[in-house]
Amino acid sequence: MFSKILVGIDGSEYSRNAVNYALDLASKYDSDLFLLAIVPSKVHHGDSSGVFGMVAPSYFQEYKKEAEKWFEEIIAYINNNTTIDTKTKVKSEVITSPFSTAASILNYAEERDVELIVIGTRGNSGLKKMLLGSVATDVVTYAYCPVLVIK
């Protein structure tokens, strides 16, 4: 049913829960699984590369190292607890984009013909009281394919 599944990862409990659901579906449907982390587009004073909206290389590298730790944990879990072949079925990537996180997720998914996007209800934005995070809301609103939002 789903040959390609994308799961957005930001290190939050909600994104970890989303990974678990995505793994179940990927196992069931023998899907390719895309693990995607988006570097937040916030630029701190003094970190700017001089171009408005760009992420400083040092910030990107720091975030990428953190995301790669998340990916390593997920891949180790997959290797130890599923039959998914991580060498051929799992792809992980950290990207930065001048667009919003939601737009970046949607562009990435569309470029790869993803058939299902799995994301957590809220991420690490700090807005704990919102019913549904702004990224999840935008992805659900603008996605061209089904979106599974996990609590």
Side-chain angles (χ1 to χ4, degrees), residues 9 11 16 62-76 94:
I9 305 200
R16 291 177 191 273
E62 183 180 318
Y63 192 93
K64 186 174 181 179
K65 284 180 190 175
E66 186 68 23
E68 287 172 351
K69 288 180 195 174
W70 305 331
F71 296 152
E72 288 171 11
E73 290 173 10
I74 293 165
I75 290 170
V94 181

Side-chain angles (χ1 to χ4, degrees), residues 18-149:
V19 168
N20 291 333
Y21 276 83
L23 289 176
D24 287 345
L25 291 168
S27 290
K28 181 175 183 175
Y29 296 112
D30 192 33
S31 308
D32 290 338
L33 185 63
F34 296 89
L35 307 173
L36 178 64
I38 308 288
V39 177
S41 60
K42 55 187 171 191
V43 178
H44 295 81
H45 182 68
D47 285 346
S48 175
S49 63
V51 180
F52 180 74
M54 296 298 289
V55 175
S58 61
Y59 181 74
F60 176 76
Q61 290 305 321
E62 183 180 318
Y63 192 93
K64 186 174 181 179
K65 284 180 190 175
E66 186 68 23
E68 287 172 351
K69 288 180 195 174
W70 305 331
F71 296 152
E72 288 171 11
E73 290 173 10
I74 293 165
I75 290 170
Y77 178 84
I78 293 169
N79 286 332
N80 293 327
N81 298 289
T82 74
T83 58
I84 297 171
D85 180 1
T86 55
K87 294 196 186 317
T88 61
K89 290 291 190 179
V90 179
K91 294 153 189 70
S92 61
E93 192 168 359
V94 181
I95 65 169
T96 186
S97 168
F99 304 111
S100 70
T101 299
S104 299
I105 291 169
L106 295 170
N107 289 339
Y108 186 94
E110 194 166 356
E111 288 170 1
R112 286 152 185 82
D113 296 319
V114 167
E115 296 171 345
L116 176 68
I117 300 170
V118 183
I119 56 173
T121 54
R122 293 188 292 266
N124 279 327
S125 66
L127 301 173
K128 299 288 186 195
K129 294 184 180 181
M130 292 183 75
L131 181 61
L132 189 64
S134 60
V135 172
T137 299
D138 287 349
V139 170
V140 168
T141 301
Y142 299 109
Y144 68 93
C145 66
V147 178
L148 178 60
V149 182

